[in-house]
Each structure stands twice: as C-alpha cells, then as structure tokens.
Amino acid sequence: MTGTGDHEDAATYGATAQAAIRRPGRWWGRKGTAAKVESYTRISFHLFPVAQLVTALLSLTPVPARSALPVAGALLVHVVLGLRLTGQALDWVAGRRARPRRLLCAYMACGFAGAAIAALVLVKLPDDPPATYYTACVGTYVLFLAFSCGLGVLALRTHRQSLVAVAVATFGGWLLGSALLPAPAAAALALSTLLSAGGLTLASRFSIWLLQAVYELDEARHTRARLAVAEERLRFGRDLHDVLGRNLSVIALKSELAVQLARRERPEAVEQMAEVQRIAQESQREVREVVRGYREADLYTELLGARGVLSAAGITCTVTGTPTGLPRPVQAALAWVVREAVTNVLRHGNAAHCRIALTVVPADPRAEGRPAVAELTVENDGVPSASDGSSGGHGLAGLRERLAAEQGTLEAGPAGKSAFRLVARVPVPADEVAESGVPGETVERARQELE
C-alpha cells in the first residue's frame, strides 16, 4: 500500500534493479499471481534437462570412459537443445513467438540418436558385463526417449498429438531395443519408456493447462476492470446527455425565436433572450451538480465495492463497522480513503488478507472542544518493502489534502513484518446533522450486506 510515483528516472531504476538482484525475495514478492505461476513453471521445466544430465552422468560413472564418452556427448547436446526448446515453447504458449518446429524436430531426433548410441554401447560391452554397466546403459537409453517426449509435448498443440508422441517414443524404444537386444529386454525397455514418457508427458500437459488457465484468469481480471471503467464513463455520458439534451434543444428553439422577433423589432425578443440566459445558467448549475455527484465518493458504495473487488482478486477482505449516522462530508472524505487504499492494495505487494474497520470514537465529556472522531483503518499483508508513508506518492498526498479540509489526519506505515496499515481520522461535529449518504431502503440493505 505504499504510494509510489508513476515514473522513475534512470538512476532510481538502476538502484531498484540492483536492489532486486541483491534481494531476490523482494523481486519475487513484486510479481503478480500470473507472473509467479509462469516463473515457477519455467524454472521447473528448465530443471528437467538438468535432472536428466545429472541422472545420466551418475549412471554412466561405472561404464568405461571409452564407451561412456559418445553417450555423454549426445547427452550434452540433448540437454542444451532441451533448455532452448523449453524457453521457446513456453514463449509460444504465452503467445510471444511462433511455434519452434525446427527446434522440436532437432530435439526429438537428438533423443532418438542418443538412445541408439546408448543401445550400441550396451551391445558392445563385454560378454558378461557387471550389472552396473547394464543398468547405466539401459537407464540412459530410457532417459533419452522419456525426456524427448516429456519436453517435446510443450511445443505440441493438442492432447492427441501428445498421445501420438508417447506412442512413437514407446514404439521407437521397442524398435531400437528389438534390433540390438534380446526380445525380453526390448519389451522391458519399451514398457519403461512408456511409463517414463507417459508420466513426464502428463506432468507437462497439466502444467501447460494450468499456466494457460492462469493467463485467462488474469486477462479476465483486466477485462473486468476495463469494463467497469467503460461502464462508469457511459453512465457519466448518459447523465450529461439527460441534463444537457433537453436544455440545449430549448435554448436552440428560443434563440431562433428571439432572432425572428428581433428582425421584426418586437420587444418580446428581449424576453426570449432572457429566458435563454436563464436556461443556460440552469444548465451550468445542473452540469456542476452532475460532476460533483460523479466525483463525490459514497462510503457505503466504496466499502461494498472494496470487499467485492478484493475478493475477486483472491484477497480475503474483512469489513467491520457501518457509516450510519456520519455526516455526508465525513463519509465522502473516508470514502476516498477506502478507494485509494484498495487501489494500492491491488497495485503494490501481494496481499492475501485485508482488514477494513470503521469505528467512531465518542467525544470525551471531560475535554471541552474535543468532538467524536470517525476512524477508518485499512491493513493488509504481503507488502515486500513497507515504507513509513511519510511522503508517499500523489495518492496519499491527495488524501491528506482531502482530510485536511475536514480537519482530519492520515497515518500510513508498516504494521509488523510484511504488513501495512493506513489510519484516517476525521472529527465529527456534535452540532452537525447526521446524514447517511444513501436514502431509505438502501441504507438498511447496505448495512445488512456490510454486516
């Protein structure tokens, strides 16, 4: 909830980047949900080729160096291609580039070639090799085929294509194994390839589906926000049309009549122009009321909207207290605080919980001149670097100005580890008539919804 400027100069940006490098936890905390899921998916898939490399090299340790060297060379090439394919395939899933067809074909071909080399090494081992030799070559053979299929499906469009890839890998494993190994060994290799390739393919397809679902949800949230802004603009346009449409038509008619009367030198022309002047002044007053009503925030609406918006963003929001009985100026000032606070919760940090509490501290009868105080507290977690809020940005500065007009105060700062608290206090004059801000049944309905 810390206020920040909209733009940073080059020096500030460089310092921020260096601080993010030194403190990776804060770099991670500034990411949104969709960006976190994408980063986690990328890191996980890039670890697949690394795991293949480490597992295969450890398996080849007991094999003689002359026999293991060709397999290790093919393994390194396969791992490098896998790392490149992972990055480009995930970019394709995110819609940032074209599908890497050539790289996919090269990766699959390298996998089959590496499996063939591992099978040839197994055949050329001594007649009675140790069990570790056999296990190392067979394991490397299966790793080539399984990872070729598991990572290759990242660049495939449909589940049917993924199933075909698993079938091809299994058949290729059986074909290579049957040409170089006894039938039972070839069948065992085919079964191992099927289980390994199928498991990796299932994990890859599920991760891609989850990543795409997160992309769609994130886009839906942005679309919902844009639609809300567009709807508000349409409402404002309709209000202006309702106010100005009729009056402008009357002004046009009466001014035309005044012109006709003036040409005939009739004294009624002056009366018509005076009527035009009156309607124009009335229109100006009505437009000001529309703009004032558009700009004036309503505390009931803001509290309900805050809970709805935060809940839609996956943030648990708790609202306590109702503004019943507070004067309209106090409600308007606190409503702006709620609006700005919720905006900052959504923009800054990665909040999971937010608490909004509205209380009225009664006047102290022993202290003369000390009226009751309406206190609004907004507290949220998930702030990676909570500032003291003494300067803030334009948002907090604007809130302080609004509250100062009502003799109110604003406090903003950290509240424990990774938490931020904003407290606004506005005095409530004892002799001022309390207005709810919304009429009749709306008050009761809003009170029930808040409670």
Side-chain angles (χ1 to χ4, degrees):
M1 280 175 52
T2 56
T4 58
D6 294 335
H7 301 284
E8 295 178 332
D9 55 17
T12 304
Y13 179 81
T16 304
Q18 294 178 0
I21 294 174
R22 291 193 300 267
R23 297 185 294 272
R26 295 185 177 180
W27 165 81
W28 178 263
R30 282 193 293 268
K31 286 181 173 291
T33 302
K36 285 183 177 180
V37 173
E38 180 180 354
S39 299
Y40 175 78
T41 304
R42 286 183 177 273
I43 293 173
S44 300
F45 278 117
H46 279 88
L47 289 177
F48 276 22
V50 177
Q52 177 191 4
L53 176 64
V54 173
T55 304
L57 290 180
L58 292 177
S59 301
L60 291 174
T61 301
V63 179
R66 181 176 298 180
S67 301
L69 188 59
V71 180
L75 178 66
L76 290 175
V77 175
H78 194 244
V79 168
V80 172
L81 291 176
L83 291 173
R84 292 194 58 189
L85 176 65
T86 299
Q88 294 186 16
L90 291 177
D91 287 340
W92 169 66
V93 171
R96 304 189 185 109
R97 61 168 301 144
R99 188 157 65 115
R101 293 185 176 88
R102 295 182 179 179
L103 185 58
L104 173 62
C105 294
Y107 181 70
M108 298 293 289
C110 182
F112 279 100
I117 293 174
L120 288 173
V121 170
L122 179 61
V123 171
K124 292 184 178 181
L125 287 176
D127 295 337
D128 189 16
T132 54
Y133 287 15
Y134 184 84
T135 303
C137 294
V138 170
T140 306
Y141 177 93
V142 174
L143 287 175
F144 271 113
L145 296 178
F147 277 92
S148 296
C149 185
L151 290 181
V153 297
L154 295 178
L156 299 180
R157 295 183 183 277
T158 63
H159 299 299
R160 181 176 299 178
Q161 293 176 348
S162 302
L163 293 177
V164 172
V166 174
V168 170
T170 304
F171 177 75
W174 175 82
L175 187 63
L176 291 174
S178 61
L180 301 174
L181 300 172
L189 284 178
L191 180 60
S192 300
T193 304
L194 174 62
L195 296 177
S196 302
L200 289 175
T201 299
L202 181 62
S204 299
R205 294 303 304 182
F206 177 77
S207 299
I208 293 301
W209 172 82
L210 180 62
L211 184 60
Q212 291 174 339
V214 171
Y215 285 149
E216 293 177 0
L217 289 176
D218 189 63
E219 180 63 24
R221 288 173 54 188
H222 289 296
T223 302
R224 181 179 180 180
R226 290 193 296 267
L227 289 176
V229 173
E231 184 179 356
E232 185 65 14
R233 289 175 178 172
L234 289 175
R235 185 197 67 81
F236 185 59
R238 287 193 300 267
D239 291 345
L240 286 179
H241 178 270
D242 294 340
V243 169
L244 295 179
R246 179 184 61 84
N247 290 347
L248 289 178
S249 299
V250 175
I251 289 174
L253 291 175
K254 286 187 172 295
S255 60
E256 183 179 357
L257 178 60
V259 170
Q260 297 295 333
L261 294 175
R263 287 176 179 176
R264 299 175 185 177
E265 298 182 355
R266 298 283 297 275
E268 291 86 351
V270 177
E271 297 178 1
Q272 295 297 328
M273 291 306 300
E275 184 69 12
V276 168
Q277 182 182 15
R278 185 191 66 79
I279 296 175
Q281 292 174 349
E282 182 181 354
S283 299
Q284 186 179 20
R285 178 184 58 81
E286 291 179 351
V287 169
R288 288 174 179 172
E289 291 180 355
V290 169
V291 174
R292 186 182 301 112
Y294 177 74
R295 292 179 177 177
E296 183 177 293
D298 180 75
L299 188 52
Y300 278 106
T301 304
E302 293 301 328
L303 290 174
L304 292 174
R307 187 167 62 182
V309 170
L310 293 177
S311 299
I315 302 173
T316 303
C317 180
T318 303
V319 179
T320 58
T322 59
T324 303
L326 292 178
R328 187 182 296 274
V330 175
Q331 291 195 38
L334 294 180
W336 279 105
V337 175
V338 174
R339 180 180 297 182
E340 180 66 21
V342 171
T343 301
N344 288 336
V345 170
L346 295 174
R347 286 182 178 178
H348 308 291
N350 187 29
H353 301 277
C354 180
R355 181 179 65 89
I356 303 176
L358 176 63
T359 58
V360 177
V361 181
D364 189 356
R366 295 173 297 179
E368 296 183 359
R370 180 178 297 179
V373 176
E375 181 177 292
L376 178 70
T377 302
V378 182
E379 183 175 343
N380 67 283
D381 59 1
V383 180
S385 56
S387 66
D388 57 2
S390 58
S391 59
H394 299 292
L396 294 182
L399 288 182
R400 289 189 172 93
E401 293 177 359
R402 291 180 181 274
L403 293 176
E406 303 294 334
Q407 288 77 45
T409 60
L410 180 70
E411 297 178 2
K417 184 178 181 181
S418 300
F420 194 87
R421 181 186 296 130
L422 185 145
V423 181
R425 299 182 179 89
V426 180
V428 181
D431 56 347
E432 187 168 348
V433 178
E435 298 181 5
S436 64
V438 288
E441 296 179 357
T442 308
V443 176
E444 184 63 25
R445 184 169 58 255
R447 184 188 302 112
Q448 293 176 358
E449 292 181 3
L450 285 175
E451 294 176 351

